[in-house]
């Protein structure tokens, strides 16, 4: 999350990292309530999960449910209200201490069924109180779908605990790519380093090009078609599928300049009564995932109907 540094700065000493490794940094960034506030207030995100669970009570009734990365426990509570027999939430962040209080309060005050068990620890390391679960729910998606690589954790949980025929919510995700005209913002973010109070700062300009920018893009900036470059089936995929190279071919819709490629994703709950989609593209209501912009050093000039051929390589960061 781009917000992580300020969240770390604001977090309490209870969640201070011991040795300052990236793992401590990542998990502690979820200890502060601010990041959970942002996710919970993302109504597209949270209401889609809510609908996927509440509208499918026939699937959740009397089932054992595992929530991988439960955070505040919101998905556990949805599952409990939908009639699950037992719900286990796992999270390695200190937020889970608050989640225990949240669950207890709702059992006492709002009639939440007393079926939730929260387990603190990394999903990869914990031992659950059950051998198998019927359903896994998880909100694992990061910027450009894969940032944070949390899907790997869901796959570990699936392979270890999901009963044969068990369901994963959500179970499909598709990554899309298109291209945008973005001259003004590119000038502001990139060319700006060419003259900083009379000095050149090309070293920082280089870094700015290397790092994709997460931001909301106006759909009118999109100048090509948008094509799916990868669909994953969370029920069956392996960690190796998340390290991929995809060739793509975009078609220009106008005579215009392309300054950047644009990436975003849809997540789908196909086990739902009617398939439920959580879209994050520029033409939809913005979510906290926004879109991801990859700037080109040199813009491409396109005529309507012309093709842009590209290749995208995506792999987990080996050090983090
Ligand atoms: N389910 C919550 C929180 C989603 S954010 C909601 O929908 O609001 C993802 C959560 O997963 C974070 O709280 C993070 O601490 C946790 N997490 C990430 N990787 C994990 C891992 N390997 N083991 C346990 N928890 C993990």
């Amino acid at each position: 999350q781009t917000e992580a540094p300020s969240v770390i700065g604001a977090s309490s000493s209870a969640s201070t990292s011991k040795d300052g490794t990236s793992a401590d940094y990542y998990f502690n960034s979820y200890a502060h309530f601010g990041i959970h506030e942002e996710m919970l207030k993302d109504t597209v995100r949270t209401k889609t999960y809510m609908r996927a669970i509440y509208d499918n009570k026939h699937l959740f009734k009397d089932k054992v449910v595992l929530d991988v990365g439960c955070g505040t426990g919101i998905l556990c509570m949805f599952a409990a209200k939908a009639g699950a027999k037992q719900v286990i939430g796992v999270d390695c962040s200190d937020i889970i201490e608050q989640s225990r209080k949240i669950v207890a309060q709702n059992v006492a005050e709002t009639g939440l069924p007393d079926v939730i068990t929260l387990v603190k620890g990394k999903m990869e390391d914990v031992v659950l109180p059950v051998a198998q679960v019927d359903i896994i729910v998880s909100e694992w998606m990061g910027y450009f779908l894969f940032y944070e690589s949390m899907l790997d954790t869901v796959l570990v949980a699936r392979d270890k605990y999901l009963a044969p025929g068990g369901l994963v919510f959500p179970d499909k995700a598709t990554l899309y790519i298109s291209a945008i005209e973005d001259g003004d913002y590119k000038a502001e973010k990139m060319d700006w380093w060419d003259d900083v109070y009379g000095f050149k700062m090309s070293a920082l300009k280089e870094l700015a090009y290397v790092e994709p920018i997460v931001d909301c893009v106006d759909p009118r900036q999109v100048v090509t078609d948008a094509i799916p470059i990868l669909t994953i089936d969370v029920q069956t995929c392996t960690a190796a599928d998340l390290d991929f190279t995809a060739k793509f071919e975009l078609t220009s819709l106008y005579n215009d300049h392309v300054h950047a490629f644009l990436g975003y994703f849809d997540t789908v709950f196909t086990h739902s009564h009617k398939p439920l989609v959580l879209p994050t593209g520029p033409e939809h209501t913005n979510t906290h995932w926004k879109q991801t912009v990859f700037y080109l050093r040199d813009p491409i000039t396109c005529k309507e109907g012309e093709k842009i051929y590209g290749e995208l390589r995506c792999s987990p960061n080996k050090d983090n």
Side-chain angles (χ1 to χ4, degrees), residues 152-218:
D152 291 67
T153 300
V154 177
L155 302 187
V156 169
R158 179 199 69 189
D159 294 344
K160 211 163 162 187
Y161 290 108
L162 191 64
L167 305 178
V168 185
F169 276 67
D171 61 310
K172 292 262 166 51
T174 299
L175 198 57
Y176 293 89
I177 200 147
S178 65
I180 59 171
E181 188 289 319
D182 204 15
D184 292 348
Y185 198 55
K186 187 188 174 201
E188 195 183 304
K189 295 297 286 184
M190 304 298 168
D191 302 337
W192 184 81
W193 296 108
D194 292 339
D195 179 2
V196 183
Y197 303 95
F199 300 103
K200 292 187 172 214
M201 296 199 178
S202 303
L204 295 183
K205 186 177 180 180
E206 270 312 298
L207 291 180
Y209 270 116
V210 170
E211 204 165 294
I213 291 180
V214 174
D215 214 336
C216 297
V217 165
D218 184 328

Side-chain angles (χ1 to χ4, degrees), residues 26-27 30 36 39 45 69-71 74-75 91-93 121-124 139 150 153:
Y26 171 63
F27 293 127
Y30 279 103
H36 295 280
M39 291 189 289
R45 180 199 87 109
C70 61
I74 185 75
L75 307 183
D91 207 293
C92 49
S93 162
K122 272 187 78 176
M123 186 67 231
E124 290 81 350
E139 198 279 78
M150 194 184 150
T153 300

Side-chain angles (χ1 to χ4, degrees), residues 39 42-52 75 78 138-142 145 169-176 264-270 272 274-291:
M39 291 189 289
D42 180 340
T43 52
V44 174
R45 180 199 87 109
T46 310
K47 281 191 175 169
T48 308
Y49 274 83
M50 187 172 87
R51 288 270 66 86
L75 307 183
F78 287 156
S138 185
E139 198 279 78
W140 52 267
M141 296 84 79
L145 191 61
F169 276 67
D171 61 310
K172 292 262 166 51
T174 299
L175 198 57
Y176 293 89
Y264 54 90
F265 60 92
D266 285 352
T267 315
V268 193
F269 299 82
T270 74
S272 179
K274 280 193 212 136
L276 257 177
V277 185
L278 198 181
T280 69
E283 72 279 21
H284 294 281
T285 306
N286 279 313
T287 68
H288 77 289
W289 288 288
K290 304 175 182 172
Q291 291 90 38

Side-chain angles (χ1 to χ4, degrees), residues 2 7 18 47 50 96 117 125 163 168 173 191 209 260 274 282 298 314 319:
T2 48
V7 168
K18 287 179 288 299
K47 281 191 175 169
M50 187 172 87
I96 202 163
T117 308
D125 305 334
V168 185
D191 302 337
Y209 270 116
K274 280 193 212 136
D298 301 310
C314 182
D319 304 326

